[in-house]
Amino acid sequence: MSPLILAAEVFEPQHEFRLPAWVDLDLGAVDLSINKAVVYLWVGAAITILLFTWIMRFGLSLRPSRRQTAGEAVYELVYNQMAEGNLPHRKAIGRWFPYVAALFLYIWVLNLIGFIPLPISDEHFHVAGVKLPTWGIYAATANLSVALALALMTFIGTHVEGIRYNGPFKYVKSWIPHGVPKFLIAPIFVLEVISQFMRLISLSVRLFANMLAGHMLILVFIGLIFIFQSVVLAVIAVPVGTIIYLFEVVIVVTIQAFVFALLTAIYVGGAIEPEH
Amino acid sequence: MRDSVLAIVLAQEEEAGNDLIKVVPGLMIWTAVTFLITFYILKKLAFSRIQGLIDRRRDRIKEALDEADNARMEARALLEQHRQLIAEARAQADGVLAEARRQADAQHERVRAEASADLERRLEENQRAIAAENRKLLEQVRREVVELTLLASEKVTGKVLTADDQRRLIDEAVGELDFDQLAKLN
């Protein structure tokens, strides 16, 4: 077998997304084993809680410091751009703003730490006989289950809120546009039910696919150097990989979190007042 | 060679691809749990605190704006009051000036009238004095004429005239004199 084929066999970027159990934990039929994705979720949650509690709670003053200004800017971005514009009234904002804001911040942190090399890996290396985890990049949001779970919470919350505000009959009736001929009501209702589930799929797949694609692109471009063992290729692959990396970190990370939270606010607002 | 590499990579993709799109209920539960904990803690510790601060600042800004509005209204009222005071002061000054002018005119008129009256009075006095002097002179002239006449008559006639003769001669002499001419000569 040629060295190139051997290199290709060794380089498996998709293996970065395999999730072998680190600690087996079964709860009946459900496998709650702790793996790399779970650890990333914990790390993301810890960072989100500590960072935003620090900048939004401590040392607050009517004349804000730089830290407080950053906290207020993030808070007001979510409040003004997502909650206030899409949730129909103050009561709905009061109830749903914390959820939308927490969703945005949590996804943003999960996305961001997905591009920072961390020593959370299945693979290890040895330094002076000490076994250490390999540093690598991995995003929990590049896993369909994570994105789907977050989307499912929004999906359930949306419909629960729609039924709570409007009653089940009025809420389901609101899915059918006014003035539709009677013979079209049934097929349109079916289409609307499908579209509601499509929201769940689009919300989760958008986040998952974008994050996965970004990681795969970076891994492939960097991996090409090792597959072909070519310095000349590195001249192209490293800048392109860096550009993709910066694009992901600066733009995609924030946009995906923003879009997810924004759509959540839009869906919930639409469910509370369907005529809007 | 490239085909071989591609075949290996595709085979690996196919093998691992299922992992990438596999839905794992356990991981979904972990996701929901960690997110809900994050949501709860942020809601309790972070959002409520910063929202309270933003509300307090909004209230302070509103108070400051209200105070600024009140100060502006107060300043406007003071300005209006000052304008009124200035207008009143100007009106008073104009009044005082007009009164002063009026008094000055009246004083001037009075002085002029008094001077005129004084002048007339003096003229009349002078005229009276002149007339009196004229009469005195005429009387003196008349007496001298009479005396001269009598004296001349006594010398011409060589006799002492009686009272009736003297009276008749005096009347004739005086009658022939033109006193107006005499007054004009004086």
Side-chain angles (χ1 to χ4, degrees):
Chain A
M1 194 177 285
S2 75
L4 193 63
I5 294 171
L6 283 172
E9 277 182 322
V10 172
F11 177 66
E12 296 167 354
Q14 68 276 20
H15 285 184
E16 289 292 319
F17 297 91
R18 281 183 177 166
L19 297 171
W22 293 354
V23 178
D24 285 322
L25 189 65
D26 288 332
L27 195 72
V30 182
D31 177 18
L32 288 172
S33 297
I34 295 162
N35 52 37
K36 185 163 68 173
V38 175
V39 173
Y40 264 87
L41 288 172
W42 290 348
V43 171
I47 291 171
T48 308
I49 291 167
L50 293 174
L51 177 66
F52 292 104
T53 302
W54 179 56
I55 65 171
M56 290 184 184
R57 182 179 176 85
F58 297 108
L60 299 183
S61 160
L62 286 173
R63 292 183 179 175
S65 62
R66 283 183 189 176
R67 172 173 62 82
Q68 187 183 330
T69 303
E72 286 183 18
V74 172
Y75 185 88
E76 289 188 337
L77 169 80
V78 181
Y79 195 92
N80 297 335
Q81 300 296 323
M82 296 182 200
E84 210 169 39
N86 298 300
L87 295 168
H89 43 69
R90 295 201 69 79
K91 194 178 168 191
I93 293 171
R95 179 184 284 269
W96 281 95
F97 165 73
Y99 176 82
V100 173
L103 200 57
F104 170 68
L105 298 177
Y106 187 48
I107 294 172
W108 185 70
V109 169
L110 285 178
N111 288 350
L112 196 63
I113 62 171
F115 287 99
I116 299 169
L118 294 174
I120 303 170
S121 173
D122 306 318
E123 295 166 7
H124 296 83
F125 65 102
H126 291 83
V127 175
V130 180
K131 187 181 172 188
L132 297 169
T134 305
W135 290 64
I137 58 170
Y138 172 79
T141 44
N143 189 301
L144 181 60
S145 300
V146 172
L148 188 60
L150 295 171
L152 200 59
M153 280 190 286
T154 291
F155 180 80
I156 293 167
T158 300
H159 294 301
V160 168
E161 201 68 351
I163 291 168
R164 205 169 64 82
Y165 269 92
N166 303 286
F169 181 73
K170 190 182 167 192
Y171 178 59
V172 174
K173 196 182 166 190
S174 72
W175 292 357
I176 300 162
H178 293 292
V180 172
K182 279 189 178 176
F183 71 96
L184 282 176
I185 287 176
I188 283 179
F189 180 74
V190 172
L191 283 175
E192 279 296 326
V193 171
I194 292 169
S195 80
Q196 293 292 332
F197 282 98
M198 287 305 289
R199 284 181 178 184
L200 176 65
I201 294 166
S202 71
L203 205 57
S204 55
V205 171
R206 183 186 297 108
L207 176 63
F208 146 74
N210 272 288
M211 295 308 295
L212 181 66
H215 277 77
M216 291 296 270
L217 274 170
I218 292 165
L219 291 173
V220 166
F221 269 93
I222 301 303
L224 283 175
I225 302 166
F226 299 101
I227 290 174
F228 292 101
Q229 295 181 338
S230 164
V231 179
V232 177
L233 192 64
V235 173
I236 300 167
V238 170
V240 173
T242 307
I243 289 167
I244 293 169
Y245 179 85
L246 289 174
F247 176 74
E248 292 285 327
V249 170
V250 174
I251 298 173
V252 176
V253 159
T254 306
I255 284 181
Q256 288 308 316
F258 189 87
V259 167
F260 198 107
L262 181 69
L263 285 174
T264 295
I266 291 170
Y267 293 161
V268 172
I272 291 170
E273 282 195 358
E275 60 271 21
H276 289 100
Chain B
M1 186 176 65
R2 282 183 186 279
D3 291 342
S4 305
V5 173
L6 193 61
I8 292 166
V9 171
L10 284 174
Q12 288 168 347
E13 287 284 343
E14 195 178 354
E15 181 195 346
N18 291 332
D19 284 343
L20 291 177
I21 58 167
K22 196 163 71 182
V23 175
V24 184
L27 185 55
M28 290 177 68
I29 291 170
W30 275 120
T31 305
V33 169
T34 49
F35 170 70
L36 290 174
I37 291 168
T38 307
F39 159 64
Y40 181 78
I41 293 174
L42 286 178
K43 185 182 174 186
K44 290 290 174 193
L45 297 183
F47 298 154
S48 58
R49 194 65 177 263
I50 201 161
Q51 181 63 57
L53 181 91
I54 289 169
D55 289 344
R56 270 212 316 280
R57 185 184 295 133
R58 189 178 296 141
D59 292 344
R60 283 281 295 272
I61 291 169
K62 190 174 174 299
E63 281 172 17
L65 286 172
D66 289 345
E67 281 175 12
D69 283 345
N70 289 338
R72 192 165 57 238
M73 284 166 66
E74 201 174 329
R76 276 185 189 159
L78 279 172
L79 184 66
E80 195 58 36
Q81 201 175 337
H82 285 167
R83 280 181 180 156
Q84 274 184 354
L85 283 173
I86 288 167
E88 282 173 14
R90 276 188 184 147
Q92 279 183 355
D94 289 346
V96 168
L97 200 61
E99 178 65 18
R101 277 191 187 135
R102 194 184 59 75
Q103 283 185 0
D105 289 348
Q107 182 77 8
H108 178 70
E109 192 62 31
R110 194 171 65 247
V111 167
R112 200 169 62 81
E114 281 175 4
S116 176
D118 189 51
L119 185 65
E120 280 181 12
R121 185 176 53 77
R122 283 169 189 271
L123 279 172
E124 281 175 9
E125 279 177 1
N126 288 340
Q127 281 174 352
R128 273 200 305 272
I130 289 165
E133 195 66 28
N134 283 343
R135 275 196 304 274
K136 208 178 346 179
L137 285 170
L138 283 173
E139 193 61 32
Q140 193 179 348
V141 167
R142 186 180 287 168
R143 253 195 324 270
E144 285 179 1
V145 168
V146 168
E147 284 171 5
L148 287 170
T149 305
L150 287 176
L151 190 60
S153 299
E154 281 174 357
K155 285 193 175 172
V156 169
T157 59
K159 66 174 180 174
V160 178
L161 297 175
T162 63
D164 289 337
D165 292 334
Q166 286 181 0
R167 189 169 297 112
R168 184 177 47 80
L169 285 171
I170 289 166
D171 288 339
E172 285 175 359
V174 170
E176 290 172 0
L177 285 173
D178 188 354
F179 286 102
D180 290 337
Q181 286 294 323
L182 283 171
K184 281 178 185 172
L185 288 172
N186 286 329

